[in-house]
Amino acid sequence: AQNSFQTKPYSTLDEPVRETIMRDVRSVAGKLRVVLLPLDRNTHFGYSGVSATDASDDIVTPGENQKQVIDKLKEWDLWGPLLVCLALSVILSFRAPVHQASAVFGAVFVAVWVGSAVVTVNAQLLGSTLSFFQSVCVLGYCVFPLTLAALLISLLQLTWFGVVWVDLIWVTVAFVWACRASAVFIGQVIPRERRFLAIYPVFFFYTFLGWLILLF
């Protein structure tokens, strides 16, 4: 009986809480790294998932490195997007006037989740092969560059770099990075003739978040 107990398959229900938390932390960190460092060094100016080999293909054919990136983000979770959303909401609420802080926090929080849901539903209607939560996960993680821009702008407000045109530069870089990353992943799962219809709402989504960052 003792031997049979020892040979039972390992269950995550039996692991220590610390190990469970650290596994989730490593998973979230890995996905954030994919969003921040999506360049494929094996291609010239390559970008994960956009190295098409034939313009007539309906779906872009990724290399092995790109496939690993896509597969990693398909292992969806909502902890990472929640943390990214909370971080952005808290940063902007601290920068807002005191009497508007709670309203700004709620507006940013709702904008991230509702925007992600709307973009996801649009992609689903256009034939996306990603599930609803996989798509929300990707869009949520891709907000991370904008969160970093908001944090950087908040820190620069304490220096002489805290001027509007410098803020605009940081937001523009973060916007392009976020749009590019999410567009790549969405473009992988949408037929070519419908790809633009699936991607342009992403631009509006991140434009609105960028506007909120500049506004507050």
Side-chain angles (χ1 to χ4, degrees):
Q2 184 176 359
N3 292 335
S4 63
F5 175 78
Q6 292 177 347
T7 57
K8 285 183 178 180
Y10 178 75
S11 172
T12 56
L13 296 177
D14 300 326
E15 69 181 5
V17 175
R18 179 182 177 183
E19 186 175 340
T20 302
I21 293 175
M22 291 307 299
R23 186 181 67 251
D24 291 339
V25 168
R26 287 191 293 268
S27 176
V28 170
K31 292 183 177 71
L32 290 177
R33 184 180 62 83
V34 166
V35 170
L36 288 178
L37 302 172
L39 288 173
D40 184 2
R41 297 180 181 179
N42 297 326
T43 60
H44 298 292
F45 302 102
Y47 202 93
S48 297
V50 291
S51 55
T53 57
D54 187 354
S56 63
D57 293 341
D58 285 339
I59 301 296
V60 175
T61 303
E64 285 301 319
N65 185 56
Q66 290 97 334
K67 286 180 180 179
Q68 293 176 5
V69 170
I70 299 299
D71 291 341
K72 190 173 187 63
L73 283 176
K74 283 184 178 181
E75 298 172 2
W76 65 271
D77 69 84
L78 297 181
W79 285 112
L82 177 61
L83 292 175
V84 172
C85 176
L86 286 175
L88 181 60
S89 301
V90 169
I91 292 170
L92 295 187
S93 64
F94 273 126
R95 291 174 50 196
V98 176
H99 64 283
Q100 295 181 356
S102 58
V104 170
F105 180 92
V108 175
F109 190 87
V110 171
V112 171
W113 290 105
V114 172
S116 297
V118 170
V119 173
T120 296
V121 170
N122 178 68
Q124 293 285 321
L125 294 176
L126 292 173
S128 171
T129 57
L130 285 178
S131 72
F132 180 86
F133 289 111
Q134 285 174 337
S135 182
V136 169
C137 172
V138 169
L139 292 169
Y141 273 107
C142 290
V143 174
F144 188 54
L146 290 168
T147 301
L148 290 181
L151 177 61
L152 183 60
I153 289 172
S154 298
L155 296 176
L156 291 179
Q157 291 296 325
L158 305 176
T159 69
W160 64 276
F161 286 104
V163 292
V164 175
W165 66 268
V166 175
D167 295 347
L168 182 60
I169 293 175
W170 294 120
V171 170
T172 301
V173 171
F175 166 79
V176 171
W177 206 295
C179 286
R180 182 61 168 161
S182 56
V184 164
F185 299 124
I186 291 178
Q188 282 288 330
V189 296
I190 299 291
R192 183 177 298 276
E193 66 275 8
R194 300 178 182 176
R195 197 166 295 160
F196 175 76
L197 295 176
I199 290 176
Y200 86 86
V202 175
F203 297 151
F204 288 119
F205 173 45
Y206 293 127
T207 297
F208 181 70
L209 294 181
W211 175 74
L212 288 178
I213 293 173
L214 291 174
L215 184 63
F216 297 106

